[in-house]
Amino acid sequence: MRNFGVVAALLLCGCLAEDQYQTMVKNAAVCTEADTCVVTDLLPNSCTCSEVVRKNAAPDIENAAKRVSCGGQAVARCGSWVNPRCEAGVCVADAGT
């Protein structure tokens, strides 16, 4: 019964569960050589980090990140990404300093 309450709360608030968000990110990172990959904007005081995704998918990922239900989780400690690119069909980037 507890899971039903969590699902109902997420539906009512328009929130996304973390696993739903990660699925969206995974799909948005699929690319071809013709695609431009970018690093999404980092949201302050969030439990999500910047992601490396296709440029045309970045706005959807940034909007979804605002709706992630973190379940009382602490603010994420995120690294930075540089040199986003498409490699082997997936957007990747190098860890920044």
Side-chain angles (χ1 to χ4, degrees):
M1 190 68 176
R2 180 176 180 256
N3 287 341
F4 176 76
V6 171
V7 171
L10 291 175
L11 291 174
L12 289 175
C13 76
C15 300
L16 282 176
E18 289 180 77
D19 61 334
Q20 291 174 307
Y21 174 72
Q22 290 304 323
T23 298
M24 290 179 68
V25 169
K26 183 177 177 181
N27 291 335
V30 174
C31 59
T32 66
E33 290 180 15
D35 289 316
T36 299
C37 295
V38 299
V39 178
T40 60
D41 289 337
L42 179 63
L43 298 174
N45 303 317
S46 174
C47 65
T48 63
C49 293
S50 295
E51 304 288 352
V52 184
V53 298
R54 291 184 322 278
K55 184 176 182 177
N56 64 350
D60 290 337
I61 296 302
E62 290 169 351
N63 286 330
K66 296 173 187 173
R67 298 184 300 123
V68 173
S69 174
C70 302
Q73 200 173 304
V75 173
R77 293 183 184 177
C78 303
S80 61
W81 299 107
V82 296
N83 191 28
R85 62 201 176 276
C86 184
E87 280 187 6
V90 179
C91 288
V92 298
D94 302 318
T97 54

